[in-house]
Amino acid sequence: MIPKTIKDKIKDMELKEITECHRSGDQVYQISNKYILKISDNVARLQKEHEKDKWIYKYISSPKPIEFIIEDSKAYYLREYLNGDILCINKYLDNPNLLVDLLVQANNIIHKTIIDEKEYIIDQDYHTLIHGDCCLPNILVKDDKVVGFIDLGDSGIGDPWRDYAWSIWSLEYNLKTNKYTNLLLEKLNIKFDKEKFDRYINE
């Protein structure tokens, strides 16, 4: 049962459940081209995502929070809908070179964004904005350009290798090969760091 406050906001709008490319276990609905509604039993995780969205949407193209309600041990999070294709659709999986370029573009957009605040410092040794879960389904693309980011519950100030690790993992997972990993590393201008890769993927 959707809480009345949210129900009133989405009245007479079309709801379509989204099932592809997300593994959180949440129920996710697109509401017309205006909102995304997430419903989760994991109240703490969705609450963290809501808090981070309130912070980060001021800096990068990401969803503006609309409403967050906890009711009957469930969290209901209504946020703005961002127009764009997720990066794990066949159009990009069938063109790995373009896919790599877009992954590089996504990492660069985030890591080059200047943050003035001291909030959400994950690692005191770094001053870089990170997504925290920089996987293909969390990057939005339009006309072969990165236009936004979603699922930012793990974002903050920290080691960019956290994003590199998840980008590498997601590239290999979705393409079912590590054939393009060296190309990604080359275009990011970094060398593979096994210790950091293992640490962040296995956290």
Side-chain angles (χ1 to χ4, degrees), residues 29-117:
Y29 298 91
Q30 180 179 333
I31 302 167
S32 298
N33 281 335
K34 189 165 185 181
Y35 301 121
I36 293 289
L37 174 63
K38 288 188 172 186
I39 304 172
S40 182
D41 294 320
N42 192 332
V43 172
R45 179 177 50 74
L46 201 55
Q47 192 165 28
K48 184 174 77 165
E49 182 177 327
H50 170 246
E51 289 298 320
K52 293 291 182 71
D53 281 349
K54 283 197 299 183
W55 168 70
I56 203 168
Y57 94 92
K58 296 175 287 185
Y59 297 103
I60 63 173
S61 177
S62 57
K64 181 180 180 181
I66 305 297
E67 196 78 53
F68 182 84
I69 294 172
I70 300 170
E71 194 172 279
D72 297 327
S73 302
K74 284 182 181 287
Y76 298 81
Y77 177 29
L78 185 71
R79 64 162 176 80
E80 181 183 58
Y81 169 78
L82 289 185
N83 189 22
D85 293 322
I86 52 178
L87 202 46
C88 57
I89 63 173
N90 286 336
K91 173 184 177 181
Y92 300 111
L93 298 180
D94 293 341
N95 189 345
N97 289 295
L98 175 59
L99 180 62
V100 166
D101 285 343
L102 291 167
L103 258 181
V104 171
Q105 187 184 134
N107 276 274
N108 286 339
I109 288 171
I110 294 170
H111 300 159
K112 291 178 180 178
T113 297
I114 304 301
I115 299 292
D116 299 326
E117 303 175 38

